[in-house]
Amino acid sequence: MGACDGGSVLTFGETMVALRGSGPLKLGGTMDVSIAGAESNVAIGLARLGHTVRWVGAVGDDEAGELVLRTLRAEAVDVSGAWKDAGAPTGLILFEPRLPDLTRVHYYRAASAGSRLSPDVLDRAFATAVPRILHLTGITPALSPTARAASTHALRLARDHGAMVCLDVNHRARLWSADQASAELQNWMPYVDLLIASADELPLCLPPGSPTDTGAQARALLSAGVQEVAVKLGAAGATSYARPSRPGAPAGSTSSARCAEAPSDAQDAGGDAQDAGGDAQDAGGGSLHQPAVAVRAVDAVGAGDAFVAGYLSALLDGEGIAGRLERGVTTGAFAVASPGDWEGAPTRAELDLLGAPPGTVVR
């Protein structure tokens, strides 16, 4: 099997049953039941945009695990590489809306099925089919020593098979400390092509004594071998920093695009057109900023994962950095404007809905 024959994206990690309270947990009330997990959120977002995507992970041999797998299958995510662990339960996450703009998250995932991911699972996934993009987050290595080993093994497999690596830092302070995360993630940087992080997460990927300015930090990571750094800035949008295109490459691409430069199954070869100004900046490297799309905020949880899904979708379509940023902030805005982690993710046909005037009724 040649490199990059296995569809668009492979992602792996823990997906949990999610309970969303109506208010402070100690007061009781009602809860909505769904699923949540950064990696599966991205997988659902990509699948809704027409891309083929596989999610690998474990759930308990329980009703909660059935809900996870059933939901992902219903969203057209390939779960053939997932398995049921009879020796551990499916993880649980509770969302507690405490103030209008503040939600507390409580994890119950210690010794869960998803935390028992092991390196051999990734061997099987790559043996089945080599993905064009391996997407992983900084959450999975925080779950357990075996999950950490699996993550490192996946990076090596991606390099050996020529798959692009996208890492979303996604630091979770309740799972591991900043020092623990930094010690691990710094070792990952030589394997990473596309790094996605919020501004406060960039220092986790750099050694002590590195610059404190966001732009300087991104450039330090580019100098260390990362091909592209996309910084999520919340309500301020996002900025991408990239190394210059290699000679002969299409405008707007960087060498991070390895297996992603060909148009995806959701787009024909003519779909990589960009506006001329964006292309000029993309091709020359440097940085490019995209403001956020203004929407009425309903729930900020999941916005970062939605941004990643949009960014990778545009990359798979052959878009340059301007197009990647534009789609990323658009899918992020859909998430902010909708309750839930992934429920508001748009289909490809819905991407233009945010440009409609207020009060529009689509008949």
Side-chain angles (χ1 to χ4, degrees):
M1 179 180 296
C4 308
D5 290 338
S8 297
V9 179
L10 168 67
T11 187
F12 68 96
E14 181 175 30
T15 298
M16 301 158 286
V17 164
L19 300 180
R20 292 180 174 275
S22 57
L25 291 176
K26 64 186 177 183
L27 299 182
T30 61
M31 284 193 163
D32 294 326
V33 183
S34 183
I35 70 168
E39 299 82 9
S40 56
N41 291 346
V42 172
I44 291 171
L46 283 165
R48 287 196 181 179
L49 292 169
H51 302 283
T52 56
V53 55
R54 288 183 290 156
W55 174 81
V56 172
V59 296
D61 189 8
D62 48 33
E63 289 297 296
E66 291 290 350
L67 174 63
V68 170
L69 296 179
R70 182 176 183 272
T71 303
L72 293 177
R73 282 195 297 265
E75 291 294 333
V77 175
D78 183 345
V79 295
S80 59
W83 78 100
K84 297 177 184 178
D85 186 341
T90 302
L92 173 66
I93 182 170
L94 300 180
F95 294 95
E96 178 191 18
R98 191 61 188 87
L99 296 170
D101 294 319
L102 189 150
T103 298
R104 291 193 292 216
V105 177
H106 307 276
Y107 295 115
Y108 299 87
R109 58 201 305 182
S112 66
S115 71
R116 289 159 46 126
L117 188 72
S118 58
D120 61 295
V121 175
L122 278 305
D123 283 326
R124 291 196 293 271
F126 272 79
T128 300
V130 177
R132 295 168 71 186
I133 298 175
L134 170 70
H135 170 67
L136 69 166
T137 75
I139 299 173
T140 305
L143 299 178
S144 69
T146 56
R148 194 171 310 162
S151 301
T152 303
H153 188 55
L155 292 170
R156 292 171 180 156
L157 286 170
R159 181 186 60 187
D160 293 345
H161 289 85
M164 173 188 165
V165 173
C166 169
L167 168 65
D168 183 4
V169 174
N170 240 334
H171 179 58
R172 296 291 185 265
R174 290 194 172 186
L175 296 179
W176 59 350
S177 69
D179 288 341
Q180 290 173 315
S182 184
E184 183 70 17
L185 295 180
Q186 286 180 51
N187 293 329
W188 287 18
M189 290 305 105
Y191 298 90
V192 175
D193 297 297
L194 169 60
L195 177 69
I196 301 178
S198 58
D200 61 345
E201 291 172 335
L202 287 180
L204 300 177
C205 304
L206 291 164
S210 296
T212 57
D213 171 75
T214 297
Q217 290 171 343
R219 287 186 286 273
L221 288 162
L222 296 176
S223 297
V226 177
Q227 301 295 322
E228 187 176 340
V229 179
V231 183
K232 298 176 288 186
L233 300 171
T239 300
S240 183
Y241 301 82
R243 302 173 75 177
S245 298
R246 61 196 188 284
S253 69
T254 70
S255 54
S256 70
R258 292 186 193 173
C259 304
E261 287 177 353
S264 76
D265 48 3
Q267 185 212 31
D268 63 32
D272 60 352
Q274 300 293 309
D275 78 297
D279 274 345
Q281 286 182 280
D282 289 352
S287 65
L288 189 64
H289 179 73
Q290 177 71 38
V293 178
V295 293
R296 183 169 63 88
V298 173
D299 184 356
V301 176
D305 301 329
F307 173 86
V308 173
Y311 203 91
L312 289 180
S313 170
L315 175 60
L316 286 162
D317 284 352
E319 297 277 356
I321 292 175
R324 299 171 207 170
L325 284 169
E326 181 179 9
R327 192 173 300 177
V329 300
T330 298
T331 50
F334 270 93
V336 170
S338 309
D341 269 44
W342 52 269
E343 288 82 348
T347 63
R348 189 170 290 259
E350 293 173 328
L351 287 173
D352 294 332
L353 289 181
L354 292 181
T360 296
V361 177
V362 181
R363 299 184 188 276

mmCIF file with all atom_site columns, all heavy atoms in Angstrom, residues 176-198:
data_model
loop_
_atom_site.group_PDB
_atom_site.id
_atom_site.type_symbol
_atom_site.label_atom_id
_atom_site.label_alt_id
_atom_site.label_comp_id
_atom_site.label_asym_id
_atom_site.label_entity_id
_atom_site.label_seq_id
_atom_site.pdbx_PDB_ins_code
_atom_site.Cartn_x
_atom_site.Cartn_y
_atom_site.Cartn_z
_atom_site.occupancy
_atom_site.B_iso_or_equiv
_atom_site.pdbx_formal_charge
_atom_site.auth_seq_id
_atom_site.auth_comp_id
_atom_site.auth_asym_id
_atom_site.auth_atom_id
_atom_site.pdbx_PDB_model_num
ATOM 1   N N   . TRP A 1 176 ? -3.186 17.218 33.453 1.00 0.00 ? 176 TRP A N   1
ATOM 2   C CA  . TRP A 1 176 ? -1.767 17.242 33.767 1.00 0.00 ? 176 TRP A CA  1
ATOM 3   C C   . TRP A 1 176 ? -1.302 18.683 33.859 1.00 0.00 ? 176 TRP A C   1
ATOM 4   O O   . TRP A 1 176 ? -1.946 19.595 33.347 1.00 0.00 ? 176 TRP A O   1
ATOM 5   C CB  . TRP A 1 176 ? -0.956 16.422 32.798 1.00 0.00 ? 176 TRP A CB  1
ATOM 6   C CG  . TRP A 1 176 ? -1.008 16.795 31.327 1.00 0.00 ? 176 TRP A CG  1
ATOM 7   C CD1 . TRP A 1 176 ? -1.843 17.677 30.701 1.00 0.00 ? 176 TRP A CD1 1
ATOM 8   C CD2 . TRP A 1 176 ? -0.163 16.260 30.305 1.00 0.00 ? 176 TRP A CD2 1
ATOM 9   N NE1 . TRP A 1 176 ? -1.582 17.726 29.364 1.00 0.00 ? 176 TRP A NE1 1
ATOM 10  C CE2 . TRP A 1 176 ? -0.568 16.864 29.094 1.00 0.00 ? 176 TRP A CE2 1
ATOM 11  C CE3 . TRP A 1 176 ? 0.872  15.340 30.278 1.00 0.00 ? 176 TRP A CE3 1
ATOM 12  C CZ2 . TRP A 1 176 ? 0.048  16.562 27.872 1.00 0.00 ? 176 TRP A CZ2 1
ATOM 13  C CZ3 . TRP A 1 176 ? 1.472  15.043 29.064 1.00 0.00 ? 176 TRP A CZ3 1
ATOM 14  C CH2 . TRP A 1 176 ? 1.066  15.644 27.884 1.00 0.00 ? 176 TRP A CH2 1
ATOM 15  N N   . SER A 1 177 ? -0.191 18.886 34.526 1.00 0.00 ? 177 SER A N   1
ATOM 16  C CA  . SER A 1 177 ? 0.307  20.240 34.755 1.00 0.00 ? 177 SER A CA  1
ATOM 17  C C   . SER A 1 177 ? 0.949  20.798 33.492 1.00 0.00 ? 177 SER A C   1
ATOM 18  O O   . SER A 1 177 ? 1.276  20.058 32.552 1.00 0.00 ? 177 SER A O   1
ATOM 19  C CB  . SER A 1 177 ? 1.331  20.243 35.885 1.00 0.00 ? 177 SER A CB  1
ATOM 20  O OG  . SER A 1 177 ? 2.525  19.581 35.473 1.00 0.00 ? 177 SER A OG  1
ATOM 21  N N   . ALA A 1 178 ? 1.165  22.094 33.496 1.00 0.00 ? 178 ALA A N   1
ATOM 22  C CA  . ALA A 1 178 ? 1.837  22.732 32.366 1.00 0.00 ? 178 ALA A CA  1
ATOM 23  C C   . ALA A 1 178 ? 3.248  22.187 32.199 1.00 0.00 ? 178 ALA A C   1
ATOM 24  O O   . ALA A 1 178 ? 3.723  21.978 31.076 1.00 0.00 ? 178 ALA A O   1
ATOM 25  C CB  . ALA A 1 178 ? 1.868  24.249 32.568 1.00 0.00 ? 178 ALA A CB  1
ATOM 26  N N   . ASP A 1 179 ? 3.935  21.937 33.303 1.00 0.00 ? 179 ASP A N   1
ATOM 27  C CA  . ASP A 1 179 ? 5.302  21.393 33.215 1.00 0.00 ? 179 ASP A CA  1
ATOM 28  C C   . ASP A 1 179 ? 5.308  19.990 32.614 1.00 0.00 ? 179 ASP A C   1
ATOM 29  O O   . ASP A 1 179 ? 6.170  19.654 31.797 1.00 0.00 ? 179 ASP A O   1
ATOM 30  C CB  . ASP A 1 179 ? 5.950  21.360 34.605 1.00 0.00 ? 179 ASP A CB  1
ATOM 31  C CG  . ASP A 1 179 ? 6.305  22.745 35.111 1.00 0.00 ? 179 ASP A CG  1
ATOM 32  O OD1 . ASP A 1 179 ? 6.387  23.683 34.285 1.00 0.00 ? 179 ASP A OD1 1
ATOM 33  O OD2 . ASP A 1 179 ? 6.510  22.888 36.328 1.00 0.00 ? 179 ASP A OD2 1
ATOM 34  N N   . GLN A 1 180 ? 4.348  19.163 33.015 1.00 0.00 ? 180 GLN A N   1
ATOM 35  C CA  . GLN A 1 180 ? 4.263  17.817 32.454 1.00 0.00 ? 180 GLN A CA  1
ATOM 36  C C   . GLN A 1 180 ? 3.948  17.860 30.966 1.00 0.00 ? 180 GLN A C   1
ATOM 37  O O   . GLN A 1 180 ? 4.549  17.133 30.158 1.00 0.00 ? 180 GLN A O   1
ATOM 38  C CB  . GLN A 1 180 ? 3.173  17.016 33.183 1.00 0.00 ? 180 GLN A CB  1
ATOM 39  C CG  . GLN A 1 180 ? 3.511  16.636 34.611 1.00 0.00 ? 180 GLN A CG  1
ATOM 40  C CD  . GLN A 1 180 ? 2.324  15.999 35.316 1.00 0.00 ? 180 GLN A CD  1
ATOM 41  O OE1 . GLN A 1 180 ? 1.193  16.487 35.228 1.00 0.00 ? 180 GLN A OE1 1
ATOM 42  N NE2 . GLN A 1 180 ? 2.580  14.901 36.021 1.00 0.00 ? 180 GLN A NE2 1
ATOM 43  N N   . ALA A 1 181 ? 3.007  18.713 30.602 1.00 0.00 ? 181 ALA A N   1
ATOM 44  C CA  . ALA A 1 181 ? 2.640  18.832 29.199 1.00 0.00 ? 181 ALA A CA  1
ATOM 45  C C   . ALA A 1 181 ? 3.813  19.335 28.361 1.00 0.00 ? 181 ALA A C   1
ATOM 46  O O   . ALA A 1 181 ? 4.102  18.814 27.275 1.00 0.00 ? 181 ALA A O   1
ATOM 47  C CB  . ALA A 1 181 ? 1.446  19.771 29.048 1.00 0.00 ? 181 ALA A CB  1
ATOM 48  N N   . SER A 1 182 ? 4.507  20.336 28.872 1.00 0.00 ? 182 SER A N   1
ATOM 49  C CA  . SER A 1 182 ? 5.616  20.915 28.131 1.00 0.00 ? 182 SER A CA  1
ATOM 50  C C   . SER A 1 182 ? 6.741  19.908 27.913 1.00 0.00 ? 182 SER A C   1
ATOM 51  O O   . SER A 1 182 ? 7.327  19.820 26.825 1.00 0.00 ? 182 SER A O   1
ATOM 52  C CB  . SER A 1 182 ? 6.149  22.143 28.869 1.00 0.00 ? 182 SER A CB  1
ATOM 53  O OG  . SER A 1 182 ? 7.165  22.768 28.125 1.00 0.00 ? 182 SER A OG  1
ATOM 54  N N   . ALA A 1 183 ? 7.045  19.123 28.937 1.00 0.00 ? 183 ALA A N   1
ATOM 55  C CA  . ALA A 1 183 ? 8.115  18.137 28.823 1.00 0.00 ? 183 ALA A CA  1
ATOM 56  C C   . ALA A 1 183 ? 7.816  17.124 27.717 1.00 0.00 ? 183 ALA A C   1
ATOM 57  O O   . ALA A 1 183 ? 8.723  16.668 27.010 1.00 0.00 ? 183 ALA A O   1
ATOM 58  C CB  . ALA A 1 183 ? 8.300  17.415 30.156 1.00 0.00 ? 183 ALA A CB  1
ATOM 59  N N   . GLU A 1 184 ? 6.537  16.790 27.547 1.00 0.00 ? 184 GLU A N   1
ATOM 60  C CA  . GLU A 1 184 ? 6.157  15.832 26.499 1.00 0.00 ? 184 GLU A CA  1
ATOM 61  C C   . GLU A 1 184 ? 6.067  16.493 25.134 1.00 0.00 ? 184 GLU A C   1
ATOM 62  O O   . GLU A 1 184 ? 6.614  16.003 24.142 1.00 0.00 ? 184 GLU A O   1
ATOM 63  C CB  . GLU A 1 184 ? 4.825  15.185 26.859 1.00 0.00 ? 184 GLU A CB  1
ATOM 64  C CG  . GLU A 1 184 ? 4.353  14.126 25.885 1.00 0.00 ? 184 GLU A CG  1
ATOM 65  C CD  . GLU A 1 184 ? 5.197  12.865 25.933 1.00 0.00 ? 184 GLU A CD  1
ATOM 66  O OE1 . GLU A 1 184 ? 5.944  12.667 26.929 1.00 0.00 ? 184 GLU A OE1 1
ATOM 67  O OE2 . GLU A 1 184 ? 5.125  12.070 24.966 1.00 0.00 ? 184 GLU A OE2 1
ATOM 68  N N   . LEU A 1 185 ? 5.380  17.620 25.066 1.00 0.00 ? 185 LEU A N   1
ATOM 69  C CA  . LEU A 1 185 ? 5.094  18.233 23.773 1.00 0.00 ? 185 LEU A CA  1
ATOM 70  C C   . LEU A 1 185 ? 6.340  18.773 23.084 1.00 0.00 ? 185 LEU A C   1
ATOM 71  O O   . LEU A 1 185 ? 6.415  18.795 21.853 1.00 0.00 ? 185 LEU A O   1
ATOM 72  C CB  . LEU A 1 185 ? 4.055  19.338 23.942 1.00 0.00 ? 185 LEU A CB  1
ATOM 73  C CG  . LEU A 1 185 ? 2.660  18.875 24.408 1.00 0.00 ? 185 LEU A CG  1
ATOM 74  C CD1 . LEU A 1 185 ? 1.724  20.060 24.544 1.00 0.00 ? 185 LEU A CD1 1
ATOM 75  C CD2 . LEU A 1 185 ? 2.087  17.831 23.460 1.00 0.00 ? 185 LEU A CD2 1
ATOM 76  N N   . GLN A 1 186 ? 7.316  19.217 23.850 1.00 0.00 ? 186 GLN A N   1
ATOM 77  C CA  . GLN A 1 186 ? 8.555  19.683 23.217 1.00 0.00 ? 186 GLN A CA  1
ATOM 78  C C   . GLN A 1 186 ? 9.213  18.573 22.405 1.00 0.00 ? 186 GLN A C   1
ATOM 79  O O   . GLN A 1 186 ? 9.798  18.823 21.345 1.00 0.00 ? 186 GLN A O   1
ATOM 80  C CB  . GLN A 1 186 ? 9.530  20.194 24.278 1.00 0.00 ? 186 GLN A CB  1
ATOM 81  C CG  . GLN A 1 186 ? 9.159  21.547 24.872 1.00 0.00 ? 186 GLN A CG  1
ATOM 82  C CD  . GLN A 1 186 ? 10.168 21.992 25.910 1.00 0.00 ? 186 GLN A CD  1
ATOM 83  O OE1 . GLN A 1 186 ? 11.367 21.992 25.649 1.00 0.00 ? 186 GLN A OE1 1
ATOM 84  N NE2 . GLN A 1 186 ? 9.693  22.360 27.083 1.00 0.00 ? 186 GLN A NE2 1
ATOM 85  N N   . ASN A 1 187 ? 9.095  17.339 22.885 1.00 0.00 ? 187 ASN A N   1
ATOM 86  C CA  . ASN A 1 187 ? 9.677  16.212 22.156 1.00 0.00 ? 187 ASN A CA  1
ATOM 87  C C   . ASN A 1 187 ? 8.891  15.883 20.886 1.00 0.00 ? 187 ASN A C   1
ATOM 88  O O   . ASN A 1 187 ? 9.405  15.190 20.004 1.00 0.00 ? 187 ASN A O   1
ATOM 89  C CB  . ASN A 1 187 ? 9.715  14.972 23.055 1.00 0.00 ? 187 ASN A CB  1
ATOM 90  C CG  . ASN A 1 187 ? 10.672 15.132 24.223 1.00 0.00 ? 187 ASN A CG  1
ATOM 91  O OD1 . ASN A 1 187 ? 11.687 15.819 24.117 1.00 0.00 ? 187 ASN A OD1 1
ATOM 92  N ND2 . ASN A 1 187 ? 10.354 14.520 25.350 1.00 0.00 ? 187 ASN A ND2 1
ATOM 93  N N   . TRP A 1 188 ? 7.667  16.346 20.817 1.00 0.00 ? 188 TRP A N   1
ATOM 94  C CA  . TRP A 1 188 ? 6.831  16.060 19.649 1.00 0.00 ? 188 TRP A CA  1
ATOM 95  C C   . TRP A 1 188 ? 7.103  16.994 18.468 1.00 0.00 ? 188 TRP A C   1
ATOM 96  O O   . TRP A 1 188 ? 6.777  16.653 17.328 1.00 0.00 ? 188 TRP A O   1
ATOM 97  C CB  . TRP A 1 188 ? 5.355  16.190 20.029 1.00 0.00 ? 188 TRP A CB  1
ATOM 98  C CG  . TRP A 1 188 ? 4.831  15.093 20.879 1.00 0.00 ? 188 TRP A CG  1
ATOM 99  C CD1 . TRP A 1 188 ? 5.539  14.196 21.635 1.00 0.00 ? 188 TRP A CD1 1
ATOM 100 C CD2 . TRP A 1 188 ? 3.452  14.769 21.082 1.00 0.00 ? 188 TRP A CD2 1
ATOM 101 N NE1 . TRP A 1 188 ? 4.696  13.347 22.302 1.00 0.00 ? 188 TRP A NE1 1
ATOM 102 C CE2 . TRP A 1 188 ? 3.404  13.668 21.982 1.00 0.00 ? 188 TRP A CE2 1
ATOM 103 C CE3 . TRP A 1 188 ? 2.258  15.299 20.604 1.00 0.00 ? 188 TRP A CE3 1
ATOM 104 C CZ2 . TRP A 1 188 ? 2.207  13.099 22.401 1.00 0.00 ? 188 TRP A CZ2 1
ATOM 105 C CZ3 . TRP A 1 188 ? 1.066  14.736 21.018 1.00 0.00 ? 188 TRP A CZ3 1
ATOM 106 C CH2 . TRP A 1 188 ? 1.037  13.652 21.901 1.00 0.00 ? 188 TRP A CH2 1
ATOM 107 N N   . MET A 1 189 ? 7.656  18.166 18.736 1.00 0.00 ? 189 MET A N   1
ATOM 108 C CA  . MET A 1 189 ? 7.729  19.184 17.707 1.00 0.00 ? 189 MET A CA  1
ATOM 109 C C   . MET A 1 189 ? 8.448  18.733 16.424 1.00 0.00 ? 189 MET A C   1
ATOM 110 O O   . MET A 1 189 ? 8.035  19.117 15.321 1.00 0.00 ? 189 MET A O   1
ATOM 111 C CB  . MET A 1 189 ? 8.388  20.465 18.262 1.00 0.00 ? 189 MET A CB  1
ATOM 112 C CG  . MET A 1 189 ? 7.518  21.216 19.272 1.00 0.00 ? 189 MET A CG  1
ATOM 113 S SD  . MET A 1 189 ? 5.869  21.642 18.647 1.00 0.00 ? 189 MET A SD  1
ATOM 114 C CE  . MET A 1 189 ? 4.848  20.440 19.525 1.00 0.00 ? 189 MET A CE  1
ATOM 115 N N   . PRO A 1 190 ? 9.500  17.920 16.485 1.00 0.00 ? 190 PRO A N   1
ATOM 116 C CA  . PRO A 1 190 ? 10.136 17.494 15.225 1.00 0.00 ? 190 PRO A CA  1
ATOM 117 C C   . PRO A 1 190 ? 9.222  16.669 14.319 1.00 0.00 ? 190 PRO A C   1
ATOM 118 O O   . PRO A 1 190 ? 9.521  16.508 13.131 1.00 0.00 ? 190 PRO A O   1
ATOM 119 C CB  . PRO A 1 190 ? 11.329 16.653 15.711 1.00 0.00 ? 190 PRO A CB  1
ATOM 120 C CG  . PRO A 1 190 ? 11.624 17.157 17.085 1.00 0.00 ? 190 PRO A CG  1
ATOM 121 C CD  . PRO A 1 190 ? 10.286 17.481 17.664 1.00 0.00 ? 190 PRO A CD  1
ATOM 122 N N   . TYR A 1 191 ? 8.141  16.145 14.859 1.00 0.00 ? 191 TYR A N   1
ATOM 123 C CA  . TYR A 1 191 ? 7.225  15.318 14.068 1.00 0.00 ? 191 TYR A CA  1
ATOM 124 C C   . TYR A 1 191 ? 6.026  16.110 13.535 1.00 0.00 ? 191 TYR A C   1
ATOM 125 O O   . TYR A 1 191 ? 5.286  15.608 12.688 1.00 0.00 ? 191 TYR A O   1
ATOM 126 C CB  . TYR A 1 191 ? 6.676  14.176 14.928 1.00 0.00 ? 191 TYR A CB  1
ATOM 127 C CG  . TYR A 1 191 ? 7.716  13.227 15.450 1.00 0.00 ? 191 TYR A CG  1
ATOM 128 C CD1 . TYR A 1 191 ? 8.334  13.443 16.680 1.00 0.00 ? 191 TYR A CD1 1
ATOM 129 C CD2 . TYR A 1 191 ? 8.087  12.093 14.726 1.00 0.00 ? 191 TYR A CD2 1
ATOM 130 C CE1 . TYR A 1 191 ? 9.290  12.561 17.168 1.00 0.00 ? 191 TYR A CE1 1
ATOM 131 C CE2 . TYR A 1 191 ? 9.034  11.201 15.207 1.00 0.00 ? 191 TYR A CE2 1
ATOM 132 C CZ  . TYR A 1 191 ? 9.630  11.447 16.432 1.00 0.00 ? 191 TYR A CZ  1
ATOM 133 O OH  . TYR A 1 191 ? 10.577 10.572 16.925 1.00 0.00 ? 191 TYR A OH  1
ATOM 134 N N   . VAL A 1 192 ? 5.816  17.314 14.047 1.00 0.00 ? 192 VAL A N   1
ATOM 135 C CA  . VAL A 1 192 ? 4.584  18.058 13.777 1.00 0.00 ? 192 VAL A CA  1
ATOM 136 C C   . VAL A 1 192 ? 4.739  18.921 12.529 1.00 0.00 ? 192 VAL A C   1
ATOM 137 O O   . VAL A 1 192 ? 5.701  19.679 12.395 1.00 0.00 ? 192 VAL A O   1
ATOM 138 C CB  . VAL A 1 192 ? 4.200  18.927 14.987 1.00 0.00 ? 192 VAL A CB  1
ATOM 139 C CG1 . VAL A 1 192 ? 3.000  19.804 14.670 1.00 0.00 ? 192 VAL A CG1 1
ATOM 140 C CG2 . VAL A 1 192 ? 3.908  18.044 16.196 1.00 0.00 ? 192 VAL A CG2 1
ATOM 141 N N   . ASP A 1 193 ? 3.771  18.820 11.626 1.00 0.00 ? 193 ASP A N   1
ATOM 142 C CA  . ASP A 1 193 ? 3.732  19.685 10.445 1.00 0.00 ? 193 ASP A CA  1
ATOM 143 C C   . ASP A 1 193 ? 2.873  20.915 10.695 1.00 0.00 ? 193 ASP A C   1
ATOM 144 O O   . ASP A 1 193 ? 3.294  22.029 10.441 1.00 0.00 ? 193 ASP A O   1
ATOM 145 C CB  . ASP A 1 193 ? 3.167  18.899 9.254  1.00 0.00 ? 193 ASP A CB  1
ATOM 146 C CG  . ASP A 1 193 ? 4.038  17.720 8.878  1.00 0.00 ? 193 ASP A CG  1
ATOM 147 O OD1 . ASP A 1 193 ? 5.191  17.949 8.494  1.00 0.00 ? 193 ASP A OD1 1
ATOM 148 O OD2 . ASP A 1 193 ? 3.566  16.568 8.973  1.00 0.00 ? 193 ASP A OD2 1
ATOM 149 N N   . LEU A 1 194 ? 1.660  20.699 11.186 1.00 0.00 ? 194 LEU A N   1
ATOM 150 C CA  . LEU A 1 194 ? 0.731  21.784 11.463 1.00 0.00 ? 194 LEU A CA  1
ATOM 151 C C   . LEU A 1 194 ? 0.430  21.798 12.957 1.00 0.00 ? 194 LEU A C   1
ATOM 152 O O   . LEU A 1 194 ? -0.105 20.825 13.494 1.00 0.00 ? 194 LEU A O   1
ATOM 153 C CB  . LEU A 1 194 ? -0.562 21.594 10.665 1.00 0.00 ? 194 LEU A CB  1
ATOM 154 C CG  . LEU A 1 194 ? -1.747 22.507 11.025 1.00 0.00 ? 194 LEU A CG  1
ATOM 155 C CD1 . LEU A 1 194 ? -1.394 23.971 10.838 1.00 0.00 ? 194 LEU A CD1 1
ATOM 156 C CD2 . LEU A 1 194 ? -2.978 22.122 10.189 1.00 0.00 ? 194 LEU A CD2 1
ATOM 157 N N   . LEU A 1 195 ? 0.778  22.889 13.613 1.00 0.00 ? 195 LEU A N   1
ATOM 158 C CA  . LEU A 1 195 ? 0.513  23.053 15.048 1.00 0.00 ? 195 LEU A CA  1
ATOM 159 C C   . LEU A 1 195 ? -0.613 24.050 15.218 1.00 0.00 ? 195 LEU A C   1
ATOM 160 O O   . LEU A 1 195 ? -0.563 25.158 14.668 1.00 0.00 ? 195 LEU A O   1
ATOM 161 C CB  . LEU A 1 195 ? 1.762  23.556 15.773 1.00 0.00 ? 195 LEU A CB  1
ATOM 162 C CG  . LEU A 1 195 ? 1.595  23.829 17.272 1.00 0.00 ? 195 LEU A CG  1
ATOM 163 C CD1 . LEU A 1 195 ? 1.401  22.522 18.038 1.00 0.00 ? 195 LEU A CD1 1
ATOM 164 C CD2 . LEU A 1 195 ? 2.801  24.590 17.820 1.00 0.00 ? 195 LEU A CD2 1
ATOM 165 N N   . ILE A 1 196 ? -1.637 23.664 15.967 1.00 0.00 ? 196 ILE A N   1
ATOM 166 C CA  . ILE A 1 196 ? -2.754 24.553 16.266 1.00 0.00 ? 196 ILE A CA  1
ATOM 167 C C   . ILE A 1 196 ? -2.820 24.728 17.774 1.00 0.00 ? 196 ILE A C   1
ATOM 168 O O   . ILE A 1 196 ? -2.800 23.749 18.527 1.00 0.00 ? 196 ILE A O   1
ATOM 169 C CB  . ILE A 1 196 ? -4.074 23.985 15.715 1.00 0.00 ? 196 ILE A CB  1
ATOM 170 C CG1 . ILE A 1 196 ? -3.970 23.805 14.196 1.00 0.00 ? 196 ILE A CG1 1
ATOM 171 C CG2 . ILE A 1 196 ? -5.242 24.897 16.074 1.00 0.00 ? 196 ILE A CG2 1
ATOM 172 C CD1 . ILE A 1 196 ? -5.206 23.205 13.553 1.00 0.00 ? 196 ILE A CD1 1
ATOM 173 N N   . ALA A 1 197 ? -2.901 25.967 18.210 1.00 0.00 ? 197 ALA A N   1
ATOM 174 C CA  . ALA A 1 197 ? -2.873 26.236 19.648 1.00 0.00 ? 197 ALA A CA  1
ATOM 175 C C   . ALA A 1 197 ? -3.464 27.607 19.925 1.00 0.00 ? 197 ALA A C   1
ATOM 176 O O   . ALA A 1 197 ? -3.507 28.471 19.043 1.00 0.00 ? 197 ALA A O   1
ATOM 177 C CB  . ALA A 1 197 ? -1.432 26.191 20.170 1.00 0.00 ? 197 ALA A CB  1
ATOM 178 N N   . SER A 1 198 ? -3.938 27.802 21.135 1.00 0.00 ? 198 SER A N   1
ATOM 179 C CA  . SER A 1 198 ? -4.271 29.155 21.579 1.00 0.00 ? 198 SER A CA  1
ATOM 180 C C   . SER A 1 198 ? -2.964 29.844 21.971 1.00 0.00 ? 198 SER A C   1
ATOM 181 O O   . SER A 1 198 ? -1.935 29.192 22.169 1.00 0.00 ? 198 SER A O   1
ATOM 182 C CB  . SER A 1 198 ? -5.243 29.106 22.756 1.00 0.00 ? 198 SER A CB  1
ATOM 183 O OG  . SER A 1 198 ? -4.694 28.359 23.827 1.00 0.00 ? 198 SER A OG  1
#
